[in-house]
Amino acid sequence: MLFKAISSPINRLIKTNVLNTCLRQVQTSVATRQQQQPSLDSFGTESADDKTVVMDETIKKAYEESLSHADYFDINRLFTVRQLFESRVHLGHKLGTLNPHMTPYLFGKRLGSLVIDLDQTAQRLREALNFTAHIAFRDGIILFINRSLNTTHLVEKTAKECNQFSHCREWNSRTFYDSTIYFGAVTRLPDLVIFLNAMNNVFEMHPAVVDSAKLLIPTVGIVDTNSDPTLITYPIPGNDDTYQSIQLFCRLFKQSIILGQRKRKQLLDSLDNR
């Protein structure tokens, strides 16, 4: 308990710094696309350069204001702990498969199986959804990754419905490390990677987790009791095997992305109508 009391404010400080750093990276990476946003002819007699400067400054100010709100996108209303329980998010693996780094997230054990503390899951999930919404608000590219055959179609459908991307097949590290040659064209790496399953199989982490960490790409990941959460920026302790739990997570991520996109559209529409 003493360790938790000491580490809690430190963790909050680290999360705040990570959020600000990652969002600044996204803001820089989308600067080119921001210059191609809707016309500003309605601004009056200002020159085109002046209009662009005004728009950029307004968008930058909106980004800064969004960080001053504890829940700018109203994420807290998206789910309850009861919904997590009913979707079996608390169910972990057998005792013998426990990763030591997942010990702080455990509630206990029952009939030889581990039980995840849903209060901690809810807190971590809200942080991850808030970060995801901020990335979408800044027009960032989000990549969903999953290796479970049972939920491949669900993850791909979720990514498509929120105009993002997914990768549910065998991973090739050239996807990130040598993307220009691998895809045969100049490519842009994702601003956020969401792992619906952080494991490639029962015993091995998904290689994209390591690749993302090496390239400083922020990550959000569902980490079961056999997973290693240390390389994931926003780990979410929870069941990554049951269809009901993955379905809930997909719905929440889609909603948070849409909320961010909606806020961005409102901002651009307000500028275009001046």
Side-chain angles (χ1 to χ4, degrees):
M1 295 300 294
L2 178 60
F3 173 77
K4 289 185 178 180
I6 295 175
S7 63
S8 179
I10 297 177
N11 288 337
R12 286 196 296 269
L13 177 60
I14 292 175
K15 290 298 182 184
T16 302
N17 291 336
V18 169
L19 174 64
N20 291 332
T21 301
C22 292
L23 294 181
R24 282 197 298 269
Q25 292 174 348
V26 175
Q27 182 175 342
T28 301
S29 66
V30 301
T32 302
R33 283 199 289 175
Q34 288 176 350
Q35 297 175 358
Q36 302 173 353
Q37 293 300 335
S39 171
L40 298 178
D41 292 339
S42 57
F43 266 75
T45 59
E46 297 173 293
S47 66
D49 291 340
D50 291 338
K51 296 172 184 177
T52 301
V53 170
V54 171
M55 183 176 184
D56 290 344
E57 289 298 324
T58 303
I59 292 177
K60 182 179 179 181
K61 183 178 180 181
Y63 290 165
E64 293 175 353
E65 289 179 351
S66 68
L67 294 176
S68 64
H69 291 75
D71 190 13
Y72 185 70
F73 303 99
D74 202 14
I75 294 296
N76 290 337
R77 68 175 179 82
L78 294 183
F79 70 93
T80 63
V81 175
R82 182 183 181 87
Q83 289 177 316
L84 297 178
F85 178 80
E86 292 175 346
S87 297
R88 305 178 183 179
V89 176
H90 61 291
L91 300 179
H93 285 266
K94 298 293 183 181
L95 288 172
T97 61
L98 174 64
N99 186 301
H101 295 293
M102 287 298 297
T103 303
Y105 302 117
L106 296 182
F107 179 80
K109 59 183 179 180
R110 185 174 185 273
L111 301 177
S113 296
L114 298 167
V115 179
I116 298 172
D117 186 351
L118 290 183
D119 286 331
Q120 294 195 62
T121 300
Q123 178 183 352
R124 296 298 182 117
L125 180 57
R126 291 189 180 99
E127 293 175 354
L129 293 176
N130 183 61
F131 181 76
T132 302
H134 275 286
I135 294 292
F137 180 53
R138 285 157 175 76
D139 199 24
I141 293 178
I142 299 175
L143 176 65
F144 289 83
I145 290 183
N146 178 56
R147 281 297 290 149
S148 175
L149 297 178
N150 296 331
T151 55
T152 292
H153 68 289
L154 178 61
V155 175
E156 292 178 341
K157 179 182 177 182
T158 299
K160 184 177 180 181
E161 289 175 345
C162 53
N163 295 319
Q164 297 298 341
F165 305 88
S166 63
H167 190 295
C168 300
R169 304 297 188 268
E170 185 176 355
W171 182 257
N172 188 327
S173 290
R174 293 181 63 194
T175 305
F176 281 176
Y177 293 147
D178 199 11
S179 58
T180 300
I181 297 177
Y182 183 66
F183 292 106
V186 177
T187 59
R188 174 185 163 192
L189 295 180
D191 300 294
L192 173 64
V193 179
I194 297 177
F195 291 91
L196 276 303
N197 191 320
M199 304 295 291
N200 202 41
N201 53 54
V202 178
F203 303 103
E204 297 178 353
M205 291 289 291
H206 197 292
V209 174
V210 178
D211 294 346
S212 300
K214 288 181 178 179
L215 294 173
L216 301 181
I217 300 175
T219 53
V220 168
I222 310 301
V223 288
D224 211 326
T225 54
N226 64 328
S227 305
D228 184 356
T230 57
L231 291 179
I232 296 178
T233 313
Y234 286 88
I236 305 170
N239 181 4
D240 64 0
D241 298 311
T242 306
Y243 185 87
Q244 291 92 329
S245 63
I246 298 300
Q247 186 178 41
L248 174 64
F249 286 129
C250 283
R251 176 178 65 82
L252 294 176
F253 283 125
K254 182 180 74 172
Q255 289 178 330
S256 64
I257 291 173
I258 291 176
L259 287 173
Q261 293 171 339
R262 189 175 299 163
K263 285 279 190 179
R264 180 177 180 80
K265 185 177 184 302
Q266 292 173 357
L267 173 62
L268 296 179
D269 287 346
S270 66
L271 292 174
D272 196 39
N273 292 331
R274 288 189 180 183

